[in-house]
Amino acid sequence: MFPKTSRETDKWKAIYKRRTSVERSNKREKVDYHLEAGRHRSTMMWYVRIFGIMMCQHIDAWYVHQKDGLAFLKEHIFPVIA
């Protein structure tokens, strides 16, 4: 109810923004990649699965970031001749 940092400050906005990004990441791991659906017999296998999921998340983010740059290059390397 009464956090240490006031909700009207820029520091609070930065903290809350970071929190929402972590929540989106957790949702992606649990729901989209079905982390909890795996039947793991050991914690080591759970860690292997979570590391694989994290790599997939990184590849997805890299692809989205590069997609705009690749489209720009494609326009200049292969121009449309009308």
Side-chain angles (χ1 to χ4, degrees):
M1 264 179 93
F2 303 105
K4 291 180 184 178
T5 307
S6 177
R7 293 187 174 145
E8 292 84 29
T9 62
D10 290 334
K11 186 177 178 183
W12 172 262
K13 291 177 186 176
I15 291 169
Y16 199 75
K17 185 187 288 186
R18 185 174 47 223
R19 177 182 171 200
T20 57
S21 67
V22 169
E23 291 295 331
R24 285 192 305 270
S25 177
N26 290 344
K27 178 260 182 194
R28 186 115 169 104
E29 292 165 1
K30 290 180 180 179
V31 177
D32 297 343
Y33 286 109
H34 305 286
L35 175 62
E36 294 175 344
R39 297 179 63 175
H40 310 104
R41 292 180 180 245
S42 68
T43 38
M44 184 184 75
M45 291 308 296
W46 186 85
Y47 282 118
V48 168
R49 186 175 170 101
I50 193 74
F51 287 143
I53 289 170
M54 287 183 209
M55 286 187 265
C56 289
Q57 282 182 292
H58 183 75
I59 291 168
D60 290 344
W62 179 81
Y63 177 75
V64 169
H65 180 71
Q66 294 293 323
K67 193 163 62 169
D68 297 333
L70 294 175
F72 175 77
L73 288 174
K74 189 175 179 182
E75 288 176 4
H76 291 290
I77 294 174
F78 304 110
V80 177
I81 302 172

